[in-house]
Amino acid sequence: MKTFSDLTNYNKYLNLTAPLHPLMDSRVCKQAIPNFPQTSGEIQVNLFKISLKKNFTGDINYGNNKYYTENGLMLFSEPGQVVSWDSLTFWDGYAFVFHPDLIKQNPVAAKIHQYKYFSYEINDALFMTAEEEETITWLFTKIHMELVENKANANINIILSLLNAVLSYADVFYERQFKDKATKTISVSSKLKSFLQNHYNDLSKPVSNFPTVSSVAEELNMSSNYLTDLIRAETGKSTISFIQEFVIEQAEILLLQTNMNISDVAYQLGFTNVPYFSRFFKKVKGISPTEVRNQRKG
């Protein structure tokens, strides 16, 4: 797998001209994308990338999903992410790519790791309102023009200030998106609960595995971080807490309504280590499985 840790080689791979600045580059998508290789195997890009994609309507295909939007969207990626493509979709908008060294002496470096959307997947894109798109477009345009006009002599402080504004707005806009998803569609927490109910729909036989955040996220076709942010926005809980509480409810049902011993209950719910199950149960519930079983006797 090819790895790119500098802008010059990355741009060469994409059939683009040299970056406008040694540590950062800005491109107009409709001008840059036609140069890209039509297909690409997996490549690792050790750079930050923020894309603003706009001026399209209709169904947008991301993997196996379709999204309808009349406004722009944003995508974020952090160093180390692996990407590939089988065919290209042409967009308008901007792409801003920068090396981690650009921000390492700036407060942005400490803040950027707080923005979990850099580890979201492509189907977790930020879908903007018209007003949000206008704001982000203005900021991207300012970054692009500063680089085009001054190239290697671009004012880094100005660009970092604009970048900080982009990131802060994106954080606010994602919060709005989480709330919209909770009110306009079937809530993600409902989908998660439905998945767990199906997973444990027959307590008369052991389940094949204990559900993890990553396995549930894959089933719901979103990244683990995006799922957790949605669940927390809807319920105030993390995804793992949501799963754990559901599993403990199933354990209580078995402890109170069947004659299974505690070991069988653990195996029934996907645990392979009985002592761990007992510790896990007490941590979540506050009392041990034995104490719950004794409640039935009382």
Side-chain angles (χ1 to χ4, degrees), residues 136-190:
I136 295 297
T137 299
W138 185 88
L139 292 167
F140 265 93
T141 301
K142 290 296 184 182
I143 291 173
H144 184 73
M145 293 311 299
E146 176 65 27
L147 280 169
V148 168
E149 292 174 3
N150 298 302
K151 298 183 173 59
N153 296 318
N155 190 311
I156 291 179
N157 288 330
I158 289 176
I159 289 178
L160 290 181
S161 295
L162 293 166
L163 173 62
N164 186 57
V166 169
L167 300 178
S168 297
Y169 272 118
D171 198 40
V172 172
F173 297 162
Y174 260 116
E175 288 297 322
R176 184 270 310 156
Q177 182 163 300
F178 297 152
K179 293 175 182 177
D180 285 352
K181 281 184 174 289
T183 57
K184 294 181 180 179
T185 62
I186 299 174
S187 70
V188 175
S189 57
S190 295

Side-chain angles (χ1 to χ4, degrees), residues 55-69:
N55 292 341
F56 54 82
T57 58
D59 290 329
I60 308 304
N61 290 299
Y62 274 144
N64 295 322
N65 292 329
K66 280 190 175 183
Y67 301 86
Y68 182 82
T69 178

Side-chain angles (χ1 to χ4, degrees), residues 205-272:
K205 57 185 179 182
V207 299
S208 57
N209 54 62
F210 187 92
T212 62
V213 176
S214 58
S215 66
V216 173
E218 184 177 358
E219 182 70 23
L220 297 180
N221 201 27
M222 59 184 69
S223 69
S224 297
N225 281 337
Y226 190 69
L227 171 61
T228 293
D229 286 343
L230 282 172
I231 293 296
R232 184 172 284 113
E234 291 179 16
T235 69
K237 303 173 184 176
S238 66
T239 307
I240 189 62
S241 294
F242 193 101
I243 294 171
Q244 288 174 346
E245 289 178 11
F246 184 91
V247 173
I248 291 303
E249 288 178 7
Q250 309 313 302
E252 285 188 279
I253 291 172
L254 293 175
L255 289 167
L256 293 171
Q257 298 182 17
T258 75
N259 293 318
M260 288 183 185
N261 60 43
I262 292 173
S263 296
D264 288 338
V265 169
Y267 295 134
Q268 207 78 355
L269 296 174
F271 292 87
T272 57

Side-chain angles (χ1 to χ4, degrees), residues 16-31:
L16 299 177
T17 56
L20 297 171
H21 185 281
L23 294 177
M24 55 185 156
D25 198 22
S26 176
R27 298 285 163 162
V28 176
C29 293
K30 65 182 179 182
Q31 297 173 355

Side-chain angles (χ1 to χ4, degrees), residues 38-104:
Q38 289 299 305
T39 62
S40 174
E42 290 188 340
I43 59 172
Q44 183 179 58
V45 183
N46 294 322
L47 304 165
F48 285 100
K49 182 177 180 180
I50 308 174
S51 299
L52 166 65
K53 300 185 175 184
K54 53 182 293 182
N55 292 341
F56 54 82
T57 58
D59 290 329
I60 308 304
N61 290 299
Y62 274 144
N64 295 322
N65 292 329
K66 280 190 175 183
Y67 301 86
Y68 182 82
T69 178
E70 294 181 349
N71 301 315
L73 59 82
M74 292 184 71
L75 296 167
F76 304 81
S77 61
E78 62 187 352
Q81 290 193 333
V82 175
V83 297
S84 63
W85 58 88
D86 295 321
S87 60
L88 288 173
T89 302
F90 292 89
W91 311 83
D92 194 1
Y94 293 102
F96 179 58
V97 185
F98 60 96
H99 193 281
D101 286 352
L102 177 70
I103 61 172
K104 68 180 181 180

